[in-house]
Amino acid sequence: MEVSPGTTRVPVPAGTGRAVRVSAGERVRVVDPEGGQVGDVFAFTDTEHHSASHTRAVTSRLFPAVGEHFVTQRRRPILTLVEDTSPGQHDMLIAACDPERYAALGAAGHRSCAENLREALAAVGHAYAGPTPQPINVFMRIPVEPDGQLRWLAAPTAPGDSITFEAVLDCTVVVSACPQDIVGINAGPLSPLMIEVLPHPET
């Protein structure tokens, strides 16, 4: 994918997380360079964070369509979905993996998206200390069956697929290249993601 002038690129090594600060109007693209890798995305202002449950209530969808907003716990738009070059299968039902999840799977001490979030926020000086918000699970394929059962399927992305958000508010966006290698949501070995911060389209 061509990188436009003024774009900042931040690699997210496999199994880790990174944070970027963006201003309202800037765009954040999450790229899956190798394909088949799930990413957990979070967005924070100083006092608010994106909320999967409030977003579902606003959009009446399991995941917003292009042009729709993700909102905060105060129901204010924080991100807008502006482009999706992936197969379009994403999730906002499943909690971020955390130490307790891995302990239950017999893998105590495993890296997790919840810990990646804390580390990434600390690295940019963001002081959030509340519960881990339910993430925007990009490239994660969790279809809901007619009987209500959830299926855990491998990420369907091809190398270079991406999803792009536009910041509605000044915010910090965190991306975790999910370290889940026990439940088969990643299509192969853990691989990196790439964050691209694009300038406002009118600049």
Side-chain angles (χ1 to χ4, degrees), residues 40 50-53 55-57 61-64 70 89-97 133-138 140-145 148-152:
D40 284 33
H50 80 279
S51 169
S53 58
T55 298
R56 292 193 302 268
R61 296 177 183 271
L62 291 175
F63 197 88
F70 299 84
Q89 298 185 48
H90 312 285
D91 167 73
M92 287 200 313
L93 294 176
I94 303 302
C97 59
Q134 189 172 1
I136 303 165
N137 292 311
V138 298
M140 185 168 170
R141 186 163 51 145
I142 308 290
V144 181
E145 299 296 332
Q149 292 288 313
L150 301 178
R151 297 180 65 199
W152 298 71

Side-chain angles (χ1 to χ4, degrees), residues 34-59:
E34 298 181 20
Q37 174 64 45
V38 167
D40 284 33
V41 177
F42 306 86
F44 297 82
T45 69
D46 290 341
T47 58
E48 298 174 64
H49 57 77
H50 80 279
S51 169
S53 58
H54 290 82
T55 298
R56 292 193 302 268
V58 166
T59 63

Side-chain angles (χ1 to χ4, degrees), residues 1 31-35 85 158-162:
M1 177 179 294
V31 184
D32 186 0
E34 298 181 20
T85 71
D161 282 352
S162 68

Side-chain angles (χ1 to χ4, degrees), residues 57-128:
V58 166
T59 63
S60 295
R61 296 177 183 271
L62 291 175
F63 197 88
V66 170
E68 294 182 334
H69 299 305
F70 299 84
V71 304
T72 72
Q73 81 275 19
R74 296 180 182 172
R75 302 183 190 270
R76 293 203 303 160
I78 186 170
L79 298 173
T80 304
L81 179 57
V82 294
E83 185 180 34
D84 187 0
T85 71
S86 79
Q89 298 185 48
H90 312 285
D91 167 73
M92 287 200 313
L93 294 176
I94 303 302
C97 59
D98 51 31
E100 294 77 12
R101 170 69 160 156
Y102 289 109
L105 292 171
H110 197 288
R111 287 199 68 88
S112 71
C113 286
E115 292 175 305
N116 288 348
L117 170 65
R118 305 293 174 184
E119 292 173 5
L121 288 176
V124 296
H126 195 291
Y128 180 75

